Amino acid sequence: RDVSLADPSLPVNLANVKDLVQSADVVIVSGGNTLYAIDRWRQLGVDQLLLEARDRGCVLAGGSAGAICWFDGGHSDSMDPETFRVAMVKHKNLRLQSDESSNAPQNKKNVKDWN
């Protein structure tokens, strides 16, 4: 189910957001402005919901800004890099996969564990 939090002029039903995040196995965040997304989550209290989701094993994923937001560093064209130095979610048992061959999952040299 989709949840839009980006537009501050639209009302946000936080109880609905909480229910969705708490019942999700996967949270996927779309691209956009990384810093705006993290700031908006903090304003709404969604950052804490996402931390709780991470701690219970929910997969946190996304594309572009939606992927960068889960890390404590990365390339972003957002306006204020100083505010991005504190990650919304610190990595925990993170695995990065470099798909350089058709057998990437079996190719251990392409997998890096970050603990």
Side-chain angles (χ1 to χ4, degrees):
R1 293 176 273 172
D2 292 341
V3 175
S4 178
L5 302 174
D7 189 344
S9 69
L10 297 177
V12 175
N13 182 335
L14 288 178
N16 184 45
V17 173
K18 183 176 181 176
D19 288 343
L20 289 172
V21 172
Q22 288 179 337
S23 64
D25 294 319
V26 177
V27 172
I28 300 175
V29 176
S30 64
N33 184 305
T34 308
L35 299 177
Y36 178 80
I38 293 171
D39 185 53
R40 182 80 170 136
W41 295 344
R42 288 179 176 150
Q43 289 173 1
L44 296 171
V46 174
D47 60 334
Q48 292 305 308
L49 297 175
L50 295 170
L51 287 169
E52 292 167 11
R54 177 209 60 190
D55 290 344
R56 69 174 168 77
C58 180
V59 174
L60 305 175
S64 193
I68 294 171
C69 66
W70 307 121
F71 297 92
D72 55 6
H75 175 73
S76 173
D77 58 2
S78 297
M79 292 300 292
D80 186 4
E82 286 304 311
T83 62
F84 190 54
R85 297 205 183 276
V86 178
M88 209 303 292
V89 177
K90 295 287 187 183
H91 54 76
K92 180 178 179 180
N93 298 324
L94 175 68
R95 293 188 66 150
L96 297 181
Q97 178 69 45
S98 172
D99 190 4
E100 296 174 0
S101 72
S102 61
N103 294 328
Q106 292 81 31
N107 192 345
K108 298 295 184 198
K109 73 179 177 109
N110 292 335
V111 177
K112 180 175 183 176
D113 286 319
W114 290 25
N115 288 320

